[in-house]
Amino acid sequence: MNAGRPRKSEPEDILEKAMQVFWAQGYEATSMADIMAATGLHKGSLYQTFGDKKSLFMAALARYLDHMFLEQKAIIDQLADQPALALRTALNNMLNMKCEHNDTLHGGCMAVNSLVDSAPFDEDISQLIEHKKGRMINEFMKLIMQIHEQNPGQLNGSPEVIGGMIGVTMQGLSIEMKNNMDVKQANTMLNHQLNLLGL
Amino acid sequence: MNAGRPRKSEPEDILEKAMQVFWAQGYEATSMADIMAATGLHKGSLYQTFGDKKSLFMAALARYLDHMFLEQKAIIDQLADQPALALRTALNNMLNMKCEHNDTLHGGCMAVNSLVDSAPFDEDISQLIEHKKGRMINEFMKLIMQIHEQNPGQLNGSPEVIGGMIGVTMQGLSIEMKNNMDVKQANTMLNHQLNLLGL
DNA sequence: CCTATTTATGACCATTTGGTCATAAATGAA
DNA sequence: TTCATTTATGACCAAATGGTCATAAATAGG
């Protein structure tokens, strides 16, 4: 049916490899030569498939955030009858995902990294993160509201404040994990924080 | 006494201006041309005075961290008899400093920014931040220990955990402030967190 | 004045960057 | 076999980068 020379790799596989490089190095610090080395493709093919560097980066970042979201959504759905456990499990799993691809490479959270080195200078990237992040936060807020309705007075703060502080904690832990902290210690601190919040 | 052509600007003033640019844009995203524009000096002079780009950046980062440290140290010394108030005041002041230079420019914390876009790729920068950050943390830990000894059982966690969670919170707030959050909201969240910790 | 010294200047350089494009290779269909 | 189509390749390009250096300007002292 299809004519034409066959692909060396599927776009999804190329994107996955590009994502790893952008995740580890950031947008500015990653050159197309790095992407070429990681994917095994020459730049002509990359530009033909993805447009330009920024589009490729945004596709990789979207892939990262979609993957992150779907995995947490699955956990939440599976534990739908235990919102507190669902929240804890999903948040801890988020931390674990930030190191899964390579034990020695401290990537942190690709979105938090981008929030520092790309989003402030590019409205498109900023909006992409904003949107995907909001989708994740909505899920967490739903759980927090459920917990709050099940047992008003359990939470040490309004649902909005609780949600906000979880966000701050996750971003802070991402920075720590990118530098010194190992996953285990991060999980411990996260759970301590959740205890403090009354979750 | 001194011969030679007089300086256009003092190195300290040059460094201050370079710091502002690095703070706002990060190391990689800042070119020597940006520094030239900000300082009014030509690259020859800059290289003669500071060596290379990395040395200039490290000098600027050190200046930032020293300034940050000294201001907080002054607050702490002034409130030496009220360690809890000293800690609260110093931490809130840190947040305020991150926006003082420009209301519309969201710089966040220059050290946290560097922890994302420079430190992972440069051991010298990493060690500089580690060292200066440790000095600040030591001051906070001394206050936490004092509070703990004054009233054991007040804190919701060991001093080490409390210190760690303050660090996580500050770094998380820095990310938020660099993107959306205004200083006032950040102060509110910080104080809520300190309440939770029993401070 | 002249000289030594310090600083400022901007032309210059090699390298790297993101990006383009003409060409070649590999397929299915006619 | 031929042709249209799709993908891969790498030479090529203009612009920007960090960095150097010879020269000029501005001072103090002799």
Side-chain angles (χ1 to χ4, degrees):
Chain A
M1 187 78 86
N2 291 329
R5 179 170 174 168
R7 288 175 163 138
K8 265 178 89 174
S9 331
E10 290 304 308
E12 284 299 307
D13 298 333
I14 300 172
L15 213 48
E16 172 67 26
K17 285 170 182 161
M19 185 196 76
Q20 303 281 352
V21 182
F22 279 128
W23 189 356
Q25 305 188 345
Y27 177 62
E28 289 272 3
T30 299
S31 70
M32 291 306 290
D34 294 331
I35 306 285
M36 288 167 60
T39 60
L41 282 178
H42 291 245
K43 56 197 330 181
S45 300
L46 291 170
Y47 278 95
Q48 190 175 347
T49 306
F50 296 101
D52 56 6
K53 187 190 174 188
K54 180 180 155 184
S55 301
L56 174 56
F57 174 76
M58 289 184 69
L61 180 55
R63 182 188 171 83
Y64 171 89
L65 289 166
D66 288 344
H67 186 199
M68 185 69 80
F69 175 79
L70 290 174
E71 191 153 322
Q72 266 52 256
K73 186 74 167 63
I75 290 175
I76 291 170
D77 289 346
Q78 199 171 350
L79 298 171
D81 52 333
Q82 298 157 277
L85 180 61
L87 184 58
R88 276 196 124 87
T89 309
L91 290 172
N92 276 285
N93 190 58
M94 281 187 78
L95 293 187
N96 296 342
M97 284 182 73
K98 281 159 194 167
C99 290
E100 74 174 0
H101 63 311
N102 188 333
D103 282 345
T104 62
L105 181 62
H106 306 293
C109 173
M110 185 179 177
V112 173
N113 299 347
S114 305
L115 240 23
V116 169
D117 66 21
S118 318
F121 317 113
D122 190 294
E123 191 59 28
D124 296 327
I125 296 176
S126 174
Q127 282 181 11
L128 173 65
I129 299 176
E130 182 91 10
H131 173 251
K132 302 276 188 185
K133 195 172 143 190
R135 186 183 52 171
M136 186 81 261
I137 290 177
N138 278 345
E139 292 299 320
F140 292 145
M141 283 307 296
K142 279 197 285 183
L143 293 174
I144 296 171
M145 292 300 294
Q146 284 177 41
I147 298 168
H148 181 62
E149 282 160 16
Q150 263 182 334
N151 187 359
Q154 171 185 348
L155 299 181
N156 290 324
S158 69
E160 289 72 26
V161 169
I162 301 286
M165 299 197 62
I166 287 177
V168 169
T169 302
M170 294 300 284
Q171 297 185 69
L173 286 174
S174 165
I175 300 293
E176 297 273 23
M177 289 176 71
K178 190 170 177 65
N179 288 274
N180 292 312
M181 195 176 286
D182 58 74
V183 205
K184 200 162 182 172
Q185 201 177 347
N187 282 322
T188 300
M189 298 202 69
L190 170 60
N191 286 311
H192 195 107
Q193 175 72 17
L194 294 177
N195 291 342
L196 288 180
L197 292 171
L199 286 163
Chain B
M1 187 74 86
N2 291 329
R5 178 171 175 168
R7 288 178 165 134
K8 266 180 87 173
S9 331
E10 290 305 307
E12 285 299 307
D13 298 333
I14 301 172
L15 212 48
E16 172 67 26
K17 285 171 183 160
M19 185 197 76
Q20 302 281 353
V21 183
F22 280 128
W23 188 356
Q25 305 188 346
Y27 178 63
E28 290 272 4
T30 299
S31 70
M32 291 305 292
D34 294 331
I35 306 285
M36 289 167 59
T39 59
L41 283 177
H42 290 245
K43 56 197 329 181
S45 301
L46 291 170
Y47 278 95
Q48 189 175 350
T49 307
F50 297 102
D52 56 6
K53 187 190 175 189
K54 180 180 155 183
S55 301
L56 173 58
F57 174 76
M58 288 184 71
L61 180 55
R63 181 186 171 85
Y64 171 89
L65 288 166
D66 288 344
H67 186 199
M68 186 69 79
F69 175 79
L70 290 174
E71 193 152 320
Q72 267 49 257
K73 185 76 166 61
I75 290 175
I76 291 170
D77 289 347
Q78 200 171 348
L79 298 171
D81 52 335
Q82 297 157 279
L85 180 61
L87 184 58
R88 275 196 126 86
T89 309
L91 289 173
N92 276 285
N93 190 58
M94 281 186 77
L95 293 187
N96 296 343
M97 284 183 71
K98 281 159 196 170
C99 290
E100 74 173 359
H101 63 311
N102 188 333
D103 281 346
T104 63
L105 180 61
H106 306 293
C109 172
M110 185 180 177
V112 173
N113 298 347
S114 305
L115 240 20
V116 170
D117 66 21
S118 319
F121 316 113
D122 190 295
E123 192 59 30
D124 295 328
I125 297 177
S126 174
Q127 282 181 12
L128 173 65
I129 299 176
E130 182 90 11
H131 173 250
K132 303 274 189 187
K133 197 172 143 191
R135 186 183 53 170
M136 187 80 261
I137 289 177
N138 278 346
E139 293 298 320
F140 292 145
M141 282 308 296
K142 279 196 286 185
L143 293 174
I144 296 171
M145 292 299 294
Q146 284 176 42
I147 298 167
H148 181 62
E149 283 159 16
Q150 264 181 330
N151 187 359
Q154 173 185 349
L155 300 180
N156 289 325
S158 69
E160 289 73 25
V161 168
I162 301 286
M165 298 196 64
I166 287 177
V168 169
T169 301
M170 294 299 285
Q171 297 185 70
L173 285 173
S174 165
I175 300 292
E176 298 273 21
M177 290 176 70
K178 190 171 177 67
N179 288 274
N180 292 313
M181 194 175 287
D182 60 75
V183 206
K184 199 161 184 174
Q185 201 177 347
N187 283 321
T188 301
M189 297 202 70
L190 170 60
N191 287 312
H192 194 108
Q193 175 73 20
L194 295 177
N195 291 343
L196 288 180
L197 293 171
L199 285 162

